[in-house]
Amino acid sequence: MAIDRSLLTQLRAACGEEHVLTDHHALRTYESDGLLQYAVVPRAAVLPGSAAEVVAVVRACRDHGVPWVARGSGSGLSGGALPVADGVLIVLARLRRIHEVDLANQRVVCEPGVTNVAISAAAGPTHFYPPDPSSQIVCSIGGNVAENSGGAHCFKYGFTTNYVCGLEVVLADGTVVQLGGKEADLPGYDLHGVFVGSEGTLGIATRITLRVVPTPESVRTLVAFFATAAQAGQAVSAIVAAGVVPGAIEMMDRLSIDASEQMAHAGWPADAGAALLVELDGPADAIADRFGEVTRLCEGAGSDEVRVARDAAERDVFWRMRKAAFPAMGRISPHYYVQDSVIPRTRLAEVLERIEQLAHDAGLRVANVFHAGDGNLHPLVCYDGHAPGEAERAERLAGEIVLACVRAGGSITGEHGVGVDKKRYMPEMFGEPDLAAFQKLRCAFDPDGLANPGKLMPTPRLCGEVPGPYRRHPLEAAGLAERM
């Protein structure tokens, strides 16, 4: 269906004709986020260049009753920025200014299109921004706020929500509100805390105040190799039980090591069943003592080799291996389906064994790479979408892995968000009263249901929210939800 001409006129008046896209081929650029199993072409995409232009776009959509979806860099992995077929996509990539760097008060004020890594660059070398998703060189702060992103260092330092102090937000009716601020603790309801992780369903953040922290005095990094992932999991439990709080503690299994080695060329052992990457940071004297303890604990859990980074260059190689895991999957599989679930750390070995059994039963391979310290798994289901039936089996397997994590006392998501992909699992974690409370909050911010409809909640309700005709590619829309 073509977009209303009067709405199109308002959008062009607000942002300029060159920043309003309606050509089908141009719009296909935005049909998916990082989760390619879903695709929807919007009626129009708009690229505002300022907060005032965002307000004008949102008000135009309100006036015409047209739903909209905000999009940052499009690197999300839950379908959270998936367009609505009869709606407008608001692309925030042009809002990439850093307005203020106040290191004396440990604050940085930026727009939503600024990349994650640019915050640490602006605050460095004396300060840094701890949340560090693997996609940090491209993912935007606005997207991080929407999904409450974490990263490798979240075990010690926390998630995005721990670093957002204030937000300027455009609500779905075009009203501009200030939630929180630069101060450490403002009186009243913690509405900026509510907004972080709301996945674009409560409004658009156009100005974000972040907390940065001093750069640690010393950083030391090691990688320990094990015959099995279960042994590596035992090492994780032993390290945490000993009272050591690593800056990061990451695990990779054999398949993910094989993939990353083809990109990072680190020379890791070809026969290792798992690798555990551990990084300690803090005062140099304290780190030296604890580092030796971590090495002993890894060896006690069965590690047959521990490599310590000799310098910053080798540390970079270790991290390149870990952060290459997702893109490197293309070296070993034509397609993959990524999930993001959380389990209690103490049940790591059990759940990994369950994933291995599920993969065997499905006749597919699963690579495991994850934040081991807080049990945030990222199973990568490998498949060939050109082979009949494999895409369906991959989706079915991914869903079974999510449910296995929930039944082990975990969560359907740790940092990627619910979006479209995992909303069907929300009733596995929340009862009807809980979901009704979520929806009442959502309706308080957006009573007309125009902001990112069809996401997060399992079914439309209360506000007249319409999910929209999602098509999955390469799958048909009839997928897992009907089989469970």
Side-chain angles (χ1 to χ4, degrees), residues 440-464:
K440 287 177 183 177
L441 172 67
R442 184 172 181 173
C443 290
F445 277 79
D446 177 22
D448 295 323
L450 296 180
N452 207 11
K455 314 293 172 56
L456 192 61
M457 298 297 291
T459 55
R461 61 188 72 188
L462 294 180
C463 296

Side-chain angles (χ1 to χ4, degrees), residues 135-161:
S135 59
Q136 66 181 149
I137 62 171
V138 295
C139 68
S140 67
I141 290 295
N144 291 175
V145 169
E147 305 295 347
N148 189 22
S149 300
H153 290 83
C154 61
F155 177 61
K156 176 177 181 177
Y157 287 100
F159 290 75
T160 298
T161 189

Side-chain angles (χ1 to χ4, degrees), residues 172-188:
D173 64 356
T175 303
V176 180
V177 296
Q178 178 66 39
L179 310 179
K182 287 186 177 181
E183 300 82 357
D185 186 18
L186 288 172

